[in-house]
């Protein structure tokens, strides 16, 4: 992320040693490590929440598409039923015409 190399870390360590001093440097390093860890945990939890929301949205989208397909299937079944009843009506009408009165 920040692309910090070995020499940059050595330079930061030396400057920290000069500015903070050898007595307080271990405590400052522990505090910095604590906050870096806390920041990483927070970023990881935010990433997980975003990923979960995206997955939930994808599931909602799939369910919406599925309901649209179900509606189309119901309309298709209705149309088939209507076509079948029309065909039955036509067949019965043609049978009625073929019978002598």
């Amino acid at each position: 992320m920040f692309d910090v190399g070995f020499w940059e870390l050595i330079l930061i360590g030396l400057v920290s040693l000069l500015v903070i001093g050898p007595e307080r440097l271990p405590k400052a390093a522990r505090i910095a490590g604590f906050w870096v860890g806390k920041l990483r945990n927070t970023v990881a939890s935010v990433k997980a929440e975003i990923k979960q929301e995206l997955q939930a949205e994808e599931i909602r989208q799939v369910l919406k598409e599925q309901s649209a397909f179900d509606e189309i299937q119901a309309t298709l079944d209705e149309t088939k039923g209507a076509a079948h009843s029309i065909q039955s009506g036509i067949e019965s009408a043609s049978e009625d015409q073929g019978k002598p009165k």
Side-chain angles (χ1 to χ4, degrees), residues 22-98:
E23 300 86 29
R24 295 187 304 179
L25 186 61
K27 184 177 180 181
R30 277 193 300 273
I31 291 172
F34 171 77
W35 285 108
V36 168
K38 199 164 185 87
L39 179 66
R40 283 185 180 178
N41 288 338
T42 303
V43 168
S45 69
V46 168
K47 278 184 181 179
E49 287 178 19
I50 289 172
K51 185 177 179 180
Q52 187 178 14
E53 282 296 320
L54 289 174
Q55 287 175 344
E57 183 60 35
E58 288 174 1
I59 290 172
R60 278 190 226 108
Q61 186 67 27
V62 167
L63 289 175
K64 186 177 179 182
E65 290 173 2
Q66 182 66 35
S67 68
F69 287 137
D70 290 344
E71 289 175 12
I72 291 170
Q73 185 65 39
T75 305
L76 184 61
D77 290 342
E78 238 178 72
T79 306
K80 282 182 182 178
H84 182 67
S85 67
I86 291 172
Q87 183 181 9
S88 298
I90 291 173
E91 287 175 357
S92 67
S94 66
E95 287 177 4
D96 287 345
Q97 279 187 344

